[in-house]
Each structure stands twice: as C-alpha cells, then as structure tokens.
Amino acid sequence: LTSFRRRTMAAMAEPGRGLAFRPCIDLHDGKVKQIVGSTLSTGAAAEAGVVENFVSGDPPAYFAELYRKDGLRGGHVIMLGKGNEAAALAALSAWPGGLQVGGGVTPSNAMKYIDAGASHVIVTSFVFRDGKISFENLDALVAAVGKDRLVLDLSCRRKPPKDGEAVDEAFYVVTDRWQKFTDFAVTPENLAVLANYCSEFLVHGVDVEGMQCGILEDLVGLLGQHSPIPVTYAGGARSMEDVELVNALGAGKVDLTIGSALDIFGGDLSYAQVVEYHRRNHPSAAAVEEQATPRSDARTSREVLPVTAESLGVQWASTPAPKTPVLGFYSHTKGEYTAFSNFYEHSPIDFTIPDCCRTAAFVASGRSPMVSGITYAEKSIMLCKAAVMGDMATFDAILASREPRKTKALGRQVTPFNQDTWDKVVCTVAREAVTQKFRAHSSIKRVLLNTAPAILAEATRNDRVWGIGIDVGKSQVQDPTQWRGTNILGWALMEARAILAKEEEAA
C-alpha cells in the first residue's frame, strides 16, 4: 500500500467512523450459496456453467439469526433465479426489519416482501429493461413502496473492448444474472439522478464477484466520491487489508459486503474479525445484545434505553419459556381478547400524539396534538406515522378514515417515509396508543389487567413485526426463543398493563 493509503486508513480507523459491514444471504436453488458472479447465465445451459464456491448445509434463517445476534443491519438476501422465494421469506421472518431482499422484485410483489419483514426491496432488472433504464417502471416502484424502502442495484461491469476500439473505462449496469449490458454507465451524473428515486445503492463489482481477487479500487473510489446517498459495494474482498482499503478509498462512506472469503462461507477471512471491525466503526451495533432487558416490568425505567423492534427481537430470543403460559391472541372479532387488536373498535376517545412524533412540520401545521374521535388504535398509530414523517395531507386522510383496513392502507402511503425514523419511535407509539385506549375504557382495562403476569403475544404467521409470526395454538407460541417476529403489540400491551396497574395502586 502507498503511504497515502496507509495515512488515510489510519485516519478512518477512529471509533464511530467508517464503513459498515453489510452481510449477505445469496440464494440459488433454494440454498445459501456463494457463486462466481460472472458465471451466472440464463437459458438452457445456465446451470451447467455456474461456478459454486460454497453451498451451505444450514438454512437461510440460520444466517439471518446470526446477523441479528451480531447487530448487523442492512444485509441483503438475493434470490438468484426461480425457486428461492420460500427460502428468502424464511430469512426475512428470522429477522424482521433487519434485511433487504432482491431478485425478481416488481411493483406487484414488492409489498409482499415488506410485509414479510424486509426493510427494503432491491431492484435491477425491472428498472433496466432491454438495455435501457425505464423511468416509467422506476416511478411505478416508488409509488408501490416509497423511495425510502427502495434500493437500486447498480451491479456493473466494464464492456470488453472490440477489435480496433479503445478500451472503455466506464462501468455499465448489467442485468439478467449480470450477463446483459445496459447503456447506463455508473457516473457521478447518473448517481445524482437515481438518488432522487431511492434510499440506497447496492453495487456488485461483477467481474471480481466471488473470485477473492481483490476489490475494484476505481469503482469504490467513484462511489465514495460521488454517491449522494448510502451505498454498499460487493466484490473481491478477501482480507482485512481489503476491508481497510474500501474504507479508505470510499472515504468511510462506502459500506462493504463480503461473501466467499468469509469463514462462514468456507473462506479464510474471519467473520468474527470483520464483525469486530464493524463494531469499532459503529459502537452502537455492539449494544444490540445488551438491549435484552425486559421492558414490561413497571419498575424498569423506559428512559434508560429506547426500545425498538430490533431490541425486542433480541429480548425474545433470550427469554426462556415462562412458567406461566404465554397468552397468544389474534382477531378483533372473535374470542375473549378482541380488545387487544389494533382493529378493535370502541367508543370515541381523545388521543394525544406523543412528543417523539411532533416534528417541526407537524408543529408548523398548527394541528393540535390532541385528536378527538379515535375509535380504534390503528388510527392512533397511523396518525403518529404521518406526523413523524411530516405528511400532513395523509394525516388528514387518516383522520377522516372510518375503517381500520383503509386506515392501515393510508398509513402505507405516507410520503416521504424513512424506515430508520419510524424504527426509533414505533414502540413508543404502540405503547401510547394501547395505553390511552385501555385507560379510557374500564371494562377492557380490566380484561388486560387480569392477564398478569402472562407474557402476551399477537400470534399470527401473517405478522412478524407487530406479532410473533406464529399462529395461535402452535407449540412454538409458548417458547419466545422460537418466535419469528418482534411482537411489538404484545410488548405494548404488557407495558400498558404495568402502567395502568401502577396507576391503580397509586389511586
């Protein structure tokens, strides 16, 4: 390395600065594999030419759970061809909100992956069609999921020179398993244009992907200097020296994915060493496992450490099966615990939007933080979502809505939507919505208080964020370590139960 690079690396080695490690789960034929990217192809002979570096005997969920335990957010699950959807959904269910997913994503199926737990969807081929970029298709994707949930995959290669022509040094986006060149070059100008449509870029250096032959230094430098939004580079990293080189050439702004070189994928580079490097740059990542302190006890100060869906997932993973049976519930129309549902309709209450959602845009709008006429908790939650994002038009539409499902659909239209912002406040919002609902209705408050000391769990396979991702009646409901979701609603109900019990004691 040159002395310049050494000085730059030393400067970037300070804690809290520098690249983040973005792990991967590459799926081929339903299995976790590491493949030489340039050998992927389409057509009848496609499979014969694929060079596999590694085929895992562990399921996708194993790797998702590993990344969750180590606090590695923003990794990607890539479906390489057909037959991988079930495997991808299994990975997403193992860590709701922690992984992105790509491979065959379109406007018609994108929300399915978001609802299954993906933080973002990753798209290439739908946007780059017939060798050109389709802004019409790009607009359709943004309309379907929002800019803040969209990652554009700009995986690229240099075009091979033709006889008698000068070498073209530009990198061009490739599609169709990285075999078809587009006319879209990765340039500063094009990066600036596309940044208006998405929240991140993912860039595979295809010519070195899976080959452990070193990174594409000029590509990393281009991304670090000119990408106006977060960007992750993948391709060729084989050592800690390569990790540090990406950090230096990318000016600490380019994150890194490593695949075949890692020991968890059969390589020689220590996964633990890379995670430790990541934690030195991002100390908060190391604190994920420390957030496992249960929060349903009224004696616990909630101000010490904000609760997030991520920290709840870690909490449940470390909670042994309790002596008192877990109370699993689901449905707003049937059973003893219909009132626990956010769709449950009750007599009107006044709901106060919590301080964390009163953004400058909300305050400037002149709207009161106390909203009257709330008849179901879903409306309270979606109002908070619109308020914290500053979308007052959707706020008013939600306020006018009279049906829970329509209200939820309106909440998905909040623009601009920032997942990180919502992640920071969603648990507080859930606790406030639930507590205020039960405080205002003595009959259902008594139902909630009578559940103590049971752990409460919204038990449905259809919800891995607000619920546990497992249906009522399944044996796994009784063992929180086997839950597939973060159970925000169950946690919020237990928080409300503790708060209301303490209020009764003080009365």
Side-chain angles (χ1 to χ4, degrees):
L1 293 177
T2 66
S3 59
F4 168 75
R5 286 184 185 169
R6 293 184 190 280
R7 289 195 303 271
T8 306
M9 290 177 186
M12 294 306 304
E14 300 172 21
R17 297 181 61 189
L19 70 77
F21 170 47
R22 302 285 198 102
C24 64
I25 301 175
D26 292 344
L27 300 173
H28 185 249
D29 293 336
K31 297 179 180 180
V32 177
K33 297 183 180 181
Q34 288 296 313
I35 291 174
V36 177
S38 58
T39 68
L40 285 168
S41 60
T42 57
E47 302 308 315
V50 171
V51 177
E52 297 175 345
N53 287 333
F54 177 79
V55 179
S56 176
D58 292 310
Y62 165 82
F63 293 96
E65 290 166 0
L66 175 66
Y67 303 153
R68 179 175 72 170
K69 177 179 69 69
D70 289 328
L72 301 174
R73 296 181 63 86
H76 52 263
V77 180
I78 301 296
M79 296 177 282
L80 299 170
K82 297 180 179 180
N84 294 301
E85 183 173 298
L89 293 174
L92 296 177
S93 70
W95 192 13
L99 295 166
Q100 305 169 358
V101 66
V105 174
T106 67
S108 63
N109 65 16
M111 280 308 301
K112 173 177 68 176
Y113 295 112
I114 296 294
D115 290 339
S119 65
H120 300 70
V121 290
I122 306 168
V123 183
T124 304
S125 294
F126 184 78
V127 171
F128 294 92
R129 310 289 287 185
D130 300 321
K132 298 182 180 298
I133 187 169
S134 169
F135 284 100
E136 180 180 355
N137 285 3
L138 186 52
D139 285 335
L141 276 166
V142 174
V145 298
K147 169 186 174 182
D148 294 308
R149 289 194 182 109
L150 181 60
V151 176
L152 285 180
D153 185 341
L154 304 182
S155 296
C156 54
R157 308 175 74 170
R158 283 197 170 102
K159 292 182 177 180
K162 297 180 180 179
D163 292 340
E165 293 185 0
V167 175
D168 187 346
E169 295 294 335
F171 291 95
Y172 290 87
V173 172
V174 287
T175 63
D176 300 312
R177 300 196 189 185
W178 300 336
Q179 298 304 304
K180 185 174 183 178
F181 280 95
T182 70
D183 63 3
F184 194 89
V186 180
T187 65
E189 296 76 17
N190 284 340
L191 291 173
V193 170
L194 293 184
N196 295 309
Y197 294 88
C198 62
S199 62
E200 296 183 18
F201 296 130
L202 172 63
V203 183
H204 289 82
V206 174
D207 288 324
V208 296
E209 175 70 17
M211 298 178 69
Q212 302 183 51
C213 60
I215 65 169
L216 294 175
E217 297 183 19
D218 45 357
L219 178 57
V220 173
L222 170 68
L223 298 173
Q225 186 174 356
H226 296 292
S227 179
I229 59 175
V231 57
T232 299
Y233 168 83
R238 59 194 169 182
S239 65
M240 290 306 301
E241 185 175 80
D242 282 337
V243 175
E244 293 177 342
L245 185 55
V246 171
N247 196 26
L249 297 176
K253 297 186 294 183
V254 178
D255 292 339
L256 178 64
T257 292
I258 308 172
S260 298
L262 290 177
D263 54 6
I264 60 172
F265 295 130
D268 296 324
L269 180 56
S270 167
Y271 166 81
Q273 189 175 3
V274 175
V275 171
E276 179 57 31
Y277 182 90
H278 169 89
R279 287 177 170 174
R280 288 201 304 270
N281 286 341
H282 302 273
S284 61
V288 172
E289 291 180 280
E290 298 169 8
Q291 297 179 17
T293 304
R295 294 295 181 153
S296 59
D297 190 332
R299 296 168 295 176
T300 301
S301 170
R302 287 183 296 272
E303 301 305 316
V304 173
L305 185 64
V307 178
T308 65
E310 182 178 340
S311 67
L312 284 178
V314 175
Q315 173 180 325
W316 307 132
S318 62
T319 301
K323 295 180 180 179
T324 303
V326 172
L327 196 163
F329 63 90
Y330 184 67
S331 179
H332 64 288
T333 59
K334 299 178 181 179
E336 183 180 356
Y337 302 107
T338 55
F340 291 2
S341 170
N342 289 331
F343 279 21
Y344 173 80
E345 297 189 58
H346 50 73
S347 58
I349 67 169
D350 293 336
F351 173 73
T352 300
I353 293 174
D355 290 343
C356 63
C357 296
R358 300 180 199 175
T359 58
F362 177 81
V363 173
S365 74
R367 289 163 175 78
S368 171
M370 180 175 289
V371 185
S372 300
I374 301 299
T375 56
Y376 46 91
E378 188 70 20
K379 178 176 282 192
S380 301
I381 294 165
M382 293 302 108
L383 285 171
C384 289
K385 186 177 186 180
V388 76
M389 301 301 165
D391 185 352
M392 295 300 101
T394 302
F395 182 95
D396 292 340
I398 291 169
L399 190 58
S401 177
R402 295 291 179 265
E403 199 278 317
R405 293 190 184 280
K406 181 179 179 181
T407 300
K408 184 174 182 177
L410 286 168
R412 288 177 173 169
Q413 297 176 21
V414 168
T415 304
F417 177 79
N418 185 287
Q419 187 67 51
D420 288 340
T421 298
W422 185 234
D423 287 345
K424 291 174 183 176
V425 303
V426 65
C427 289
T428 299
V429 167
R431 184 182 66 221
E432 287 299 317
V434 169
T435 301
Q436 293 185 44
K437 175 179 80 172
F438 282 91
R439 182 185 284 129
H441 297 93
S442 59
S443 60
I444 62 173
K445 179 174 78 170
R446 185 53 48 195
V447 173
L448 177 61
L449 292 176
N450 287 342
T451 63
I455 292 177
L456 304 180
E458 186 183 38
T460 171
R461 60 184 171 183
N462 297 324
D463 195 334
R464 296 179 176 88
V465 178
W466 290 79
I468 63 172
I470 301 169
D471 285 337
V472 169
K474 298 292 186 181
S475 60
Q476 298 99 313
V477 171
Q478 298 302 318
D479 184 356
T481 65
Q482 297 188 46
W483 290 355
R484 301 167 185 166
T486 54
N487 193 34
I488 291 176
L489 180 54
W491 171 85
L493 286 163
M494 290 186 286
E495 286 282 287
R497 184 176 67 189
I499 292 168
L500 297 173
K502 190 171 183 179
E503 289 176 356
E504 284 201 349
E505 292 174 4

mmCIF file of all heavy atoms in Angstrom, residues 39-78:
data_model
loop_
_atom_site.group_PDB
_atom_site.id
_atom_site.type_symbol
_atom_site.label_atom_id
_atom_site.label_comp_id
_atom_site.label_asym_id
_atom_site.label_seq_id
_atom_site.Cartn_x
_atom_site.Cartn_y
_atom_site.Cartn_z
ATOM 1 N N THR A 39 -20.169 -16.101 -13.787
ATOM 2 C CA THR A 39 -20.545 -17.379 -14.400
ATOM 3 C C THR A 39 -22.046 -17.602 -14.431
ATOM 4 O O THR A 39 -22.508 -18.588 -14.996
ATOM 5 C CB THR A 39 -19.894 -18.563 -13.659
ATOM 6 O OG1 THR A 39 -20.474 -18.682 -12.340
ATOM 7 C CG2 THR A 39 -18.405 -18.380 -13.531
ATOM 8 N N LEU A 40 -22.801 -16.685 -13.794
ATOM 9 C CA LEU A 40 -24.249 -16.793 -13.858
ATOM 10 C C LEU A 40 -24.708 -16.503 -15.271
ATOM 11 O O LEU A 40 -24.188 -15.623 -15.950
ATOM 12 C CB LEU A 40 -24.906 -15.805 -12.893
ATOM 13 C CG LEU A 40 -24.853 -16.166 -11.415
ATOM 14 C CD1 LEU A 40 -25.266 -14.972 -10.580
ATOM 15 C CD2 LEU A 40 -25.739 -17.357 -11.113
ATOM 16 N N SER A 41 -25.706 -17.251 -15.742
ATOM 17 C CA SER A 41 -26.239 -17.008 -17.077
ATOM 18 C C SER A 41 -27.677 -17.465 -17.125
ATOM 19 O O SER A 41 -28.223 -17.978 -16.152
ATOM 20 C CB SER A 41 -25.403 -17.743 -18.139
ATOM 21 O OG SER A 41 -25.414 -19.140 -17.894
ATOM 22 N N THR A 42 -28.323 -17.263 -18.257
ATOM 23 C CA THR A 42 -29.705 -17.669 -18.435
ATOM 24 C C THR A 42 -29.780 -18.668 -19.580
ATOM 25 O O THR A 42 -28.831 -18.871 -20.325
ATOM 26 C CB THR A 42 -30.590 -16.452 -18.748
ATOM 27 O OG1 THR A 42 -30.079 -15.806 -19.920
ATOM 28 C CG2 THR A 42 -30.576 -15.451 -17.601
ATOM 29 N N GLY A 43 -30.946 -19.299 -19.723
ATOM 30 C CA GLY A 43 -31.136 -20.230 -20.821
ATOM 31 C C GLY A 43 -30.929 -21.667 -20.388
ATOM 32 O O GLY A 43 -30.674 -21.982 -19.227
ATOM 33 N N ALA A 44 -30.998 -22.567 -21.342
ATOM 34 C CA ALA A 44 -30.978 -23.996 -21.040
ATOM 35 C C ALA A 44 -29.683 -24.449 -20.420
ATOM 36 O O ALA A 44 -29.632 -25.372 -19.607
ATOM 37 C CB ALA A 44 -31.231 -24.789 -22.331
ATOM 38 N N ALA A 45 -28.578 -23.826 -20.786
ATOM 39 C CA ALA A 45 -27.273 -24.255 -20.279
ATOM 40 C C ALA A 45 -26.825 -23.459 -19.066
ATOM 41 O O ALA A 45 -25.663 -23.545 -18.668
ATOM 42 C CB ALA A 45 -26.230 -24.132 -21.386
ATOM 43 N N ALA A 46 -27.758 -22.704 -18.487
ATOM 44 C CA ALA A 46 -27.367 -21.784 -17.416
ATOM 45 C C ALA A 46 -26.712 -22.499 -16.249
ATOM 46 O O ALA A 46 -25.647 -22.098 -15.778
ATOM 47 C CB ALA A 46 -28.592 -21.005 -16.935
ATOM 48 N N GLU A 47 -27.360 -23.568 -15.766
ATOM 49 C CA GLU A 47 -26.873 -24.205 -14.547
ATOM 50 C C GLU A 47 -25.536 -24.910 -14.753
ATOM 51 O O GLU A 47 -24.725 -25.002 -13.838
ATOM 52 C CB GLU A 47 -27.912 -25.204 -14.031
ATOM 53 C CG GLU A 47 -29.285 -24.569 -13.755
ATOM 54 C CD GLU A 47 -29.185 -23.341 -12.860
ATOM 55 O OE1 GLU A 47 -28.463 -23.406 -11.848
ATOM 56 O OE2 GLU A 47 -29.807 -22.325 -13.181
ATOM 57 N N ALA A 48 -25.290 -25.398 -15.943
ATOM 58 C CA ALA A 48 -24.054 -26.146 -16.194
ATOM 59 C C ALA A 48 -22.822 -25.280 -16.034
ATOM 60 O O ALA A 48 -21.758 -25.765 -15.660
ATOM 61 C CB ALA A 48 -24.097 -26.751 -17.596
ATOM 62 N N GLY A 49 -22.954 -23.962 -16.311
ATOM 63 C CA GLY A 49 -21.791 -23.108 -16.272
ATOM 64 C C GLY A 49 -21.567 -22.388 -14.967
ATOM 65 O O GLY A 49 -20.594 -21.652 -14.827
ATOM 66 N N VAL A 50 -22.453 -22.571 -13.998
ATOM 67 C CA VAL A 50 -22.336 -21.860 -12.730
ATOM 68 C C VAL A 50 -21.194 -22.438 -11.899
ATOM 69 O O VAL A 50 -21.112 -23.648 -11.693
ATOM 70 C CB VAL A 50 -23.654 -21.943 -11.939
ATOM 71 C CG1 VAL A 50 -23.464 -21.402 -10.528
ATOM 72 C CG2 VAL A 50 -24.741 -21.165 -12.651
ATOM 73 N N VAL A 51 -20.312 -21.562 -11.425
ATOM 74 C CA VAL A 51 -19.208 -21.978 -10.562
ATOM 75 C C VAL A 51 -19.577 -21.664 -9.121
ATOM 76 O O VAL A 51 -19.757 -20.505 -8.757
ATOM 77 C CB VAL A 51 -17.900 -21.261 -10.943
ATOM 78 C CG1 VAL A 51 -16.785 -21.648 -9.980
ATOM 79 C CG2 VAL A 51 -17.514 -21.596 -12.381
ATOM 80 N N GLU A 52 -19.697 -22.708 -8.304
ATOM 81 C CA GLU A 52 -20.091 -22.552 -6.905
ATOM 82 C C GLU A 52 -18.863 -22.632 -6.010
ATOM 83 O O GLU A 52 -18.130 -23.616 -6.017
ATOM 84 C CB GLU A 52 -21.092 -23.639 -6.515
ATOM 85 C CG GLU A 52 -22.399 -23.574 -7.294
ATOM 86 C CD GLU A 52 -23.329 -24.732 -6.972
ATOM 87 O OE1 GLU A 52 -22.839 -25.736 -6.371
ATOM 88 O OE2 GLU A 52 -24.524 -24.673 -7.303
ATOM 89 N N ASN A 53 -18.649 -21.572 -5.231
ATOM 90 C CA ASN A 53 -17.565 -21.591 -4.256
ATOM 91 C C ASN A 53 -17.954 -22.307 -2.976
ATOM 92 O O ASN A 53 -17.104 -22.868 -2.285
ATOM 93 C CB ASN A 53 -17.141 -20.161 -3.907
ATOM 94 C CG ASN A 53 -16.369 -19.489 -5.029
ATOM 95 O OD1 ASN A 53 -15.717 -20.159 -5.828
ATOM 96 N ND2 ASN A 53 -16.444 -18.171 -5.098
ATOM 97 N N PHE A 54 -19.246 -22.246 -2.660
ATOM 98 C CA PHE A 54 -19.690 -22.761 -1.368
ATOM 99 C C PHE A 54 -21.189 -23.026 -1.425
ATOM 100 O O PHE A 54 -21.955 -22.235 -1.978
ATOM 101 C CB PHE A 54 -19.396 -21.725 -0.276
ATOM 102 C CG PHE A 54 -19.874 -22.112 1.102
ATOM 103 C CD1 PHE A 54 -19.144 -23.001 1.885
ATOM 104 C CD2 PHE A 54 -21.050 -21.586 1.608
ATOM 105 C CE1 PHE A 54 -19.587 -23.346 3.156
ATOM 106 C CE2 PHE A 54 -21.493 -21.930 2.877
ATOM 107 C CZ PHE A 54 -20.757 -22.810 3.654
ATOM 108 N N VAL A 55 -21.594 -24.156 -0.854
ATOM 109 C CA VAL A 55 -23.013 -24.483 -0.689
ATOM 110 C C VAL A 55 -23.229 -24.830 0.773
ATOM 111 O O VAL A 55 -22.623 -25.772 1.294
ATOM 112 C CB VAL A 55 -23.440 -25.665 -1.584
ATOM 113 C CG1 VAL A 55 -24.923 -25.975 -1.363
ATOM 114 C CG2 VAL A 55 -23.168 -25.366 -3.053
ATOM 115 N N SER A 56 -24.072 -24.080 1.453
ATOM 116 C CA SER A 56 -24.254 -24.266 2.891
ATOM 117 C C SER A 56 -25.229 -25.396 3.201
ATOM 118 O O SER A 56 -26.234 -25.576 2.509
ATOM 119 C CB SER A 56 -24.771 -22.962 3.522
ATOM 120 O OG SER A 56 -25.042 -23.160 4.888
ATOM 121 N N GLY A 57 -24.930 -26.094 4.263
ATOM 122 C CA GLY A 57 -25.870 -27.084 4.785
ATOM 123 C C GLY A 57 -26.854 -26.485 5.767
ATOM 124 O O GLY A 57 -27.788 -27.152 6.207
ATOM 125 N N ASP A 58 -26.644 -25.211 6.114
ATOM 126 C CA ASP A 58 -27.540 -24.513 7.040
ATOM 127 C C ASP A 58 -28.596 -23.737 6.262
ATOM 128 O O ASP A 58 -28.328 -23.217 5.175
ATOM 129 C CB ASP A 58 -26.752 -23.539 7.921
ATOM 130 C CG ASP A 58 -25.825 -24.258 8.891
ATOM 131 O OD1 ASP A 58 -26.301 -25.175 9.580
ATOM 132 O OD2 ASP A 58 -24.629 -23.914 8.936
ATOM 133 N N PRO A 59 -29.797 -23.621 6.818
ATOM 134 C CA PRO A 59 -30.869 -22.903 6.131
ATOM 135 C C PRO A 59 -30.646 -21.392 6.167
ATOM 136 O O PRO A 59 -29.839 -20.893 6.966
ATOM 137 C CB PRO A 59 -32.114 -23.294 6.938
ATOM 138 C CG PRO A 59 -31.594 -23.556 8.319
ATOM 139 C CD PRO A 59 -30.233 -24.183 8.114
ATOM 140 N N PRO A 60 -31.342 -20.649 5.329
ATOM 141 C CA PRO A 60 -31.192 -19.183 5.308
ATOM 142 C C PRO A 60 -31.448 -18.535 6.663
ATOM 143 O O PRO A 60 -30.764 -17.569 7.027
ATOM 144 C CB PRO A 60 -32.229 -18.738 4.276
ATOM 145 C CG PRO A 60 -32.457 -19.934 3.417
ATOM 146 C CD PRO A 60 -32.284 -21.118 4.305
ATOM 147 N N ALA A 61 -32.415 -19.064 7.403
ATOM 148 C CA ALA A 61 -32.746 -18.472 8.707
ATOM 149 C C ALA A 61 -31.566 -18.534 9.673
ATOM 150 O O ALA A 61 -31.435 -17.672 10.549
ATOM 151 C CB ALA A 61 -33.959 -19.163 9.310
ATOM 152 N N TYR A 62 -30.720 -19.534 9.524
ATOM 153 C CA TYR A 62 -29.547 -19.633 10.401
ATOM 154 C C TYR A 62 -28.667 -18.387 10.258
ATOM 155 O O TYR A 62 -28.213 -17.815 11.250
ATOM 156 C CB TYR A 62 -28.743 -20.878 10.050
ATOM 157 C CG TYR A 62 -27.349 -20.894 10.643
ATOM 158 C CD1 TYR A 62 -27.133 -21.297 11.957
ATOM 159 C CD2 TYR A 62 -26.252 -20.476 9.885
ATOM 160 C CE1 TYR A 62 -25.854 -21.282 12.507
ATOM 161 C CE2 TYR A 62 -24.978 -20.464 10.423
ATOM 162 C CZ TYR A 62 -24.782 -20.859 11.733
ATOM 163 O OH TYR A 62 -23.522 -20.827 12.272
ATOM 164 N N PHE A 63 -28.433 -17.976 9.015
ATOM 165 C CA PHE A 63 -27.575 -16.815 8.780
ATOM 166 C C PHE A 63 -28.279 -15.521 9.201
ATOM 167 O O PHE A 63 -27.645 -14.620 9.750
ATOM 168 C CB PHE A 63 -27.157 -16.768 7.312
ATOM 169 C CG PHE A 63 -26.254 -17.899 6.920
ATOM 170 C CD1 PHE A 63 -26.768 -19.042 6.325
ATOM 171 C CD2 PHE A 63 -24.894 -17.849 7.174
ATOM 172 C CE1 PHE A 63 -25.951 -20.101 5.975
ATOM 173 C CE2 PHE A 63 -24.055 -18.903 6.825
ATOM 174 C CZ PHE A 63 -24.584 -20.044 6.229
ATOM 175 N N ALA A 64 -29.588 -15.448 8.953
ATOM 176 C CA ALA A 64 -30.338 -14.263 9.382
ATOM 177 C C ALA A 64 -30.272 -14.093 10.888
ATOM 178 O O ALA A 64 -30.080 -12.985 11.408
ATOM 179 C CB ALA A 64 -31.791 -14.358 8.911
ATOM 180 N N GLU A 65 -30.422 -15.188 11.611
ATOM 181 C CA GLU A 65 -30.363 -15.125 13.074
ATOM 182 C C GLU A 65 -28.956 -14.767 13.552
ATOM 183 O O GLU A 65 -28.780 -14.051 14.546
ATOM 184 C CB GLU A 65 -30.823 -16.459 13.655
ATOM 185 C CG GLU A 65 -32.314 -16.701 13.463
ATOM 186 C CD GLU A 65 -32.720 -18.140 13.725
ATOM 187 O OE1 GLU A 65 -31.824 -18.956 14.056
ATOM 188 O OE2 GLU A 65 -33.913 -18.448 13.590
ATOM 189 N N LEU A 66 -27.946 -15.256 12.841
ATOM 190 C CA LEU A 66 -26.565 -14.903 13.180
ATOM 191 C C LEU A 66 -26.343 -13.396 13.021
ATOM 192 O O LEU A 66 -25.767 -12.744 13.907
ATOM 193 C CB LEU A 66 -25.609 -15.666 12.266
ATOM 194 C CG LEU A 66 -24.115 -15.336 12.399
ATOM 195 C CD1 LEU A 66 -23.580 -15.764 13.766
ATOM 196 C CD2 LEU A 66 -23.315 -16.005 11.275
ATOM 197 N N TYR A 67 -26.806 -12.843 11.924
ATOM 198 C CA TYR A 67 -26.631 -11.413 11.686
ATOM 199 C C TYR A 67 -27.423 -10.585 12.700
ATOM 200 O O TYR A 67 -26.972 -9.522 13.132
ATOM 201 C CB TYR A 67 -27.061 -11.052 10.264
ATOM 202 C CG TYR A 67 -26.331 -11.813 9.178
ATOM 203 C CD1 TYR A 67 -26.932 -12.035 7.931
ATOM 204 C CD2 TYR A 67 -25.045 -12.309 9.371
ATOM 205 C CE1 TYR A 67 -26.276 -12.732 6.925
ATOM 206 C CE2 TYR A 67 -24.384 -13.015 8.376
ATOM 207 C CZ TYR A 67 -25.008 -13.224 7.151
ATOM 208 O OH TYR A 67 -24.357 -13.918 6.161
ATOM 209 N N ARG A 68 -28.594 -11.066 13.047
ATOM 210 C CA ARG A 68 -29.389 -10.343 14.052
ATOM 211 C C ARG A 68 -28.665 -10.341 15.390
ATOM 212 O O ARG A 68 -28.568 -9.309 16.057
ATOM 213 C CB ARG A 68 -30.775 -10.982 14.211
ATOM 214 C CG ARG A 68 -31.631 -10.275 15.263
ATOM 215 C CD ARG A 68 -33.029 -10.834 15.339
ATOM 216 N NE ARG A 68 -33.073 -12.154 15.956
ATOM 217 C CZ ARG A 68 -34.197 -12.775 16.321
ATOM 218 N NH1 ARG A 68 -35.349 -12.202 16.094
ATOM 219 N NH2 ARG A 68 -34.143 -13.964 16.872
ATOM 220 N N LYS A 69 -28.136 -11.485 15.781
ATOM 221 C CA LYS A 69 -27.430 -11.587 17.060
ATOM 222 C C LYS A 69 -26.234 -10.638 17.100
ATOM 223 O O LYS A 69 -25.931 -10.048 18.150
ATOM 224 C CB LYS A 69 -26.964 -13.032 17.275
ATOM 225 C CG LYS A 69 -26.140 -13.247 18.544
ATOM 226 C CD LYS A 69 -25.737 -14.691 18.701
ATOM 227 C CE LYS A 69 -24.731 -15.126 17.672
ATOM 228 N NZ LYS A 69 -23.397 -14.482 17.861
ATOM 229 N N ASP A 70 -25.576 -10.467 15.966
ATOM 230 C CA ASP A 70 -24.377 -9.633 15.912
ATOM 231 C C ASP A 70 -24.687 -8.173 15.575
ATOM 232 O O ASP A 70 -23.761 -7.376 15.393
ATOM 233 C CB ASP A 70 -23.386 -10.201 14.903
ATOM 234 C CG ASP A 70 -22.748 -11.487 15.408
ATOM 235 O OD1 ASP A 70 -22.577 -11.613 16.636
ATOM 236 O OD2 ASP A 70 -22.435 -12.375 14.590
ATOM 237 N N GLY A 71 -25.967 -7.826 15.494
ATOM 238 C CA GLY A 71 -26.344 -6.431 15.284
ATOM 239 C C GLY A 71 -25.983 -5.883 13.921
ATOM 240 O O GLY A 71 -25.729 -4.684 13.777
ATOM 241 N N LEU A 72 -25.966 -6.734 12.896
ATOM 242 C CA LEU A 72 -25.597 -6.316 11.542
ATOM 243 C C LEU A 72 -26.858 -6.023 10.738
ATOM 244 O O LEU A 72 -27.517 -6.926 10.236
ATOM 245 C CB LEU A 72 -24.769 -7.412 10.853
ATOM 246 C CG LEU A 72 -23.477 -7.802 11.558
ATOM 247 C CD1 LEU A 72 -22.834 -8.995 10.868
ATOM 248 C CD2 LEU A 72 -22.503 -6.620 11.599
ATOM 249 N N ARG A 73 -27.192 -4.759 10.615
ATOM 250 C CA ARG A 73 -28.391 -4.350 9.895
ATOM 251 C C ARG A 73 -28.061 -4.060 8.428
ATOM 252 O O ARG A 73 -26.936 -3.748 8.067
ATOM 253 C CB ARG A 73 -28.986 -3.091 10.521
ATOM 254 C CG ARG A 73 -29.486 -3.271 11.949
ATOM 255 C CD ARG A 73 -30.067 -1.980 12.476
ATOM 256 N NE ARG A 73 -31.215 -1.563 11.709
ATOM 257 C CZ ARG A 73 -32.450 -1.984 11.936
ATOM 258 N NH1 ARG A 73 -32.688 -2.834 12.917
ATOM 259 N NH2 ARG A 73 -33.460 -1.556 11.192
ATOM 260 N N GLY A 74 -29.100 -4.146 7.590
ATOM 261 C CA GLY A 74 -28.955 -3.725 6.206
ATOM 262 C C GLY A 74 -28.291 -4.731 5.300
ATOM 263 O O GLY A 74 -27.877 -4.379 4.189
ATOM 264 N N GLY A 75 -28.172 -5.986 5.734
ATOM 265 C CA GLY A 75 -27.670 -7.023 4.846
ATOM 266 C C GLY A 75 -28.691 -7.330 3.767
ATOM 267 O O GLY A 75 -29.855 -6.928 3.851
ATOM 268 N N HIS A 76 -28.259 -8.051 2.735
ATOM 269 C CA HIS A 76 -29.193 -8.318 1.641
ATOM 270 C C HIS A 76 -29.370 -9.813 1.387
ATOM 271 O O HIS A 76 -28.432 -10.601 1.472
ATOM 272 C CB HIS A 76 -28.766 -7.598 0.356
ATOM 273 C CG HIS A 76 -27.359 -7.836 -0.074
ATOM 274 N ND1 HIS A 76 -26.321 -6.975 0.214
ATOM 275 C CD2 HIS A 76 -26.808 -8.837 -0.791
ATOM 276 C CE1 HIS A 76 -25.208 -7.423 -0.307
ATOM 277 N NE2 HIS A 76 -25.468 -8.562 -0.921
ATOM 278 N N VAL A 77 -30.615 -10.159 1.086
ATOM 279 C CA VAL A 77 -30.993 -11.505 0.661
ATOM 280 C C VAL A 77 -31.250 -11.416 -0.836
ATOM 281 O O VAL A 77 -32.139 -10.677 -1.280
ATOM 282 C CB VAL A 77 -32.263 -11.983 1.378
ATOM 283 C CG1 VAL A 77 -32.645 -13.380 0.913
ATOM 284 C CG2 VAL A 77 -32.088 -11.938 2.885
ATOM 285 N N ILE A 78 -30.470 -12.135 -1.634
ATOM 286 C CA ILE A 78 -30.591 -12.061 -3.087
ATOM 287 C C ILE A 78 -31.059 -13.410 -3.630
ATOM 288 O O ILE A 78 -30.424 -14.445 -3.394
ATOM 289 C CB ILE A 78 -29.254 -11.672 -3.749
ATOM 290 C CG1 ILE A 78 -28.782 -10.311 -3.225
ATOM 291 C CG2 ILE A 78 -29.410 -11.640 -5.266
ATOM 292 C CD1 ILE A 78 -29.693 -9.155 -3.563
#
